[in-house]
Amino acid sequence: MVDVQHWLSALPPGVVYLIVAGVIGVESMGVPLPGEIVLVSSALLAATGVVEPEWVATAAAFGAIVGDSVGYAVGRRGGRPLLARLGRRFPRHLGPAQLARAEQSFARYGVWAVFFGRFVALLRILAGPLAGALHVPYRRFLLANAAGGLVWAFGTTYLLYSVGRAAEHWLKDISWAGLVVAVLAGVASTWWLRRRAHRVAAVDTAGEAEPVRAGTDR
């Protein structure tokens, strides 16, 4: 992530905003890209004054909402065969097991899976195409998509921006302050995302076990 931040710092601010919107947008269409890393790196850059946090958050929200909507349209048109092709192309990220977990989340939580999926790596990639393939009503999808995209983009950006500014204020005389902030932010965000993903997986696993017990009783 530090390498990404260093690479972005050499670019003009306008290009950084375009990269944030583009990477997150393509990721939201169903293509595994490091959208979270790009957003975290850009938010930490904003703390150093290289870019503006409001534009980073706006670009991230725009990419998330538009990308999910495009993914929804593609999924609605291509259906499950499209998801199967994506699984064959990206088996590590979108294989049958990952797709099954995502479908279980949709079946259990409905449109809320779109909102909370923005905060979970797997659903962040699959939410749009899967909602389209399952023919979730677009108005309901768009509402959850927009709400999730805005909360995720602005919440993540300003949280990391505030952490970075505070660290810069207290550690401004230490040359490795930026590295410390980047490492801590990366560890914290990775831990939080993994905890969310494990929680969703645990709930889905429990849901799978219930029908089995019911069938045994009969």
Side-chain angles (χ1 to χ4, degrees):
M1 186 176 67
V2 176
D3 290 338
V4 174
Q5 184 179 349
H6 178 73
W7 175 68
L8 290 173
S9 66
L11 301 174
V15 176
V16 174
Y17 305 142
L18 289 175
I19 290 174
V20 170
V23 172
I24 292 174
V26 174
E27 179 191 44
S28 300
M29 294 177 194
V31 179
L33 288 181
E36 187 85 23
I37 293 176
V38 170
L39 178 58
V40 169
S41 300
S42 301
L44 292 173
L45 274 184
T48 66
V50 176
V51 292
E52 298 297 329
E54 62 268 25
W55 285 109
V56 171
T58 300
F62 177 82
I65 295 170
V66 173
D68 267 346
S69 294
V70 173
Y72 175 93
V74 173
R76 191 175 182 90
R77 185 177 183 84
R80 289 193 59 86
L82 171 67
L83 298 176
R85 288 198 298 273
L86 286 174
R88 289 193 296 270
R89 188 173 182 83
F90 306 106
R92 184 178 177 182
H93 299 87
L94 307 176
Q98 291 84 350
L99 179 59
R101 288 204 303 272
E103 286 186 309
Q104 290 162 8
S105 297
F106 266 84
R108 180 176 293 272
Y109 303 112
V111 74
W112 286 105
V114 178
F115 178 88
F116 290 110
R118 178 49 56 182
F119 301 90
V120 180
L122 171 63
L123 285 178
R124 186 165 57 248
I125 299 172
L126 280 174
L130 188 56
L134 296 177
H135 293 274
V136 174
Y138 181 69
R139 289 186 179 180
R140 295 176 58 197
F141 167 80
L142 180 60
L143 179 61
N145 173 32
L150 288 169
V151 172
W152 173 74
F154 279 85
T156 301
T157 298
Y158 277 97
L159 174 63
L160 292 173
Y161 172 77
S162 299
V163 170
R165 292 292 290 176
E168 185 179 10
H169 174 74
W170 292 106
L171 304 173
K172 59 184 177 181
D173 294 329
I174 302 177
S175 60
W176 41 264
L179 177 61
V180 172
V181 173
V183 171
L184 290 177
V187 171
S189 62
T190 300
W191 173 82
W192 187 83
L193 286 170
R194 285 181 177 176
R195 184 181 179 187
R196 290 282 306 182
H198 287 321
R199 185 177 299 174
V200 171
V203 171
D204 290 340
T205 301
E208 287 179 342
E210 289 176 1
V212 174
R213 290 196 298 269
T216 303
D217 294 338
R218 287 196 297 268

